[in-house]
Amino acid sequence: GIFPVAGFGAKYFDPKTNQTVVSHCFELAPPNSIVGIEQVVQAYRNTLRNITLWGPTNFAQIIKWAAQEAAQPISQNNLHYTILLIVTDGIISDKDLTKSEIIKASGLPFSIIIVGVGQADFTEMDELDSDDALLTVYGKTAERDIVQFVPFRDFVDKPYEYLARHTLAEIPYQLTSYMKKQKFSPGERADV
């Protein structure tokens, strides 16, 4: 498939403005140019050569960007579902803004997987993964749970299948619950 790929939390020289900037949402490649996971990894590696990873850890902008991708028109003949993967080593700095963007996106064909790496205190990430109660902020409540948080350190000494299973555990329910709510039915299975 074709993947839009973006990064967040970087300091780099912007030739358009001739200044060094800190960005919490920037594209790693032109739209529709990344085909396959190998090219996603290559785009990330290429970008790392030209940036410095930089805090604070703000998710709101990258979630808003991905939600705009997910908000493309959807119909029975044009089904799509967007999954945003965030890999982070930091504690979230814009929690309420992030919650707000998640709540706005909770009615879209969209899920967010957050993988926490390192030894940071990821307690607030568990709050975003609203398994026990729907996310609420500023008097608004999410339509459904769209976030899965996974602390990578819990899987370091386990076979990678455990990490994959836990990371993707909520996606089938999130996808099917969205499609059922919209009254979309599965189409014919395409040959793989």
Side-chain angles (χ1 to χ4, degrees), residues 28 61 98:
L28 272 58
Q61 289 180 15
T98 294

Side-chain angles (χ1 to χ4, degrees), residues 178-192:
Y178 173 82
M179 295 299 174
K180 285 179 183 175
K181 185 174 182 181
Q182 300 301 318
K183 298 184 175 34
F184 291 131
S185 59
E188 293 293 317
R189 181 177 173 188
D191 290 331
V192 180

Side-chain angles (χ1 to χ4, degrees), residues 117-174:
V117 295
Q119 297 305 314
D121 177 4
F122 291 118
T123 304
E124 291 185 348
M125 300 298 186
D126 283 324
E127 188 179 334
L128 299 179
D129 185 355
S130 53
D131 288 338
D132 299 326
L134 290 175
L135 202 57
T136 301
V137 72
Y138 304 134
K140 296 189 177 184
T141 302
E143 290 183 30
R144 61 194 182 94
D145 173 20
I146 64 169
V147 177
Q148 170 72 340
F149 171 69
V150 179
F152 181 77
R153 65 180 167 235
D154 292 356
F155 298 91
V156 170
D157 297 325
K158 296 180 179 155
Y160 72 90
E161 292 90 355
Y162 287 92
L163 173 64
R165 187 178 310 128
H166 192 74
T167 301
L168 300 172
E170 294 182 14
I171 298 299
Y173 176 76
Q174 291 172 355

Side-chain angles (χ1 to χ4, degrees), residues 35-104:
V35 179
I37 296 300
E38 294 81 16
Q39 287 187 9
V40 170
V41 172
Q42 189 60 46
Y44 184 75
R45 287 183 177 149
N46 290 343
T47 300
L48 282 176
R49 293 186 196 118
N50 300 308
I51 65 164
T52 302
L53 297 176
W54 206 261
T57 301
N58 293 340
F59 291 163
Q61 289 180 15
I62 197 82
I63 290 171
K64 184 176 183 175
W65 172 82
Q68 289 170 341
E69 293 287 325
Q72 300 303 313
I74 188 169
S75 68
Q76 182 64 50
N77 296 325
N78 181 30
L79 297 176
H80 63 84
Y81 197 87
T82 299
I83 300 172
L84 171 63
L85 171 63
I86 297 175
V87 180
T88 183
D89 68 350
I91 300 166
I92 190 169
S93 302
D94 64 342
K95 183 172 74 171
D96 287 346
L97 288 173
T98 294
K99 284 181 173 183
S100 182
E101 291 301 329
I102 292 169
I103 290 167
K104 288 178 199 172

Side-chain angles (χ1 to χ4, degrees), residues 4-45:
V5 182
F8 70 97
K11 181 176 163 181
Y12 59 92
F13 180 77
D14 183 356
K16 294 176 192 168
T17 63
N18 204 29
Q19 295 180 4
T20 299
V21 297
V22 174
S23 178
H24 298 288
C25 183
F26 55 94
E27 290 188 339
L28 272 58
N32 301 320
S33 67
I34 303 292
V35 179
I37 296 300
E38 294 81 16
Q39 287 187 9
V40 170
V41 172
Q42 189 60 46
Y44 184 75
R45 287 183 177 149

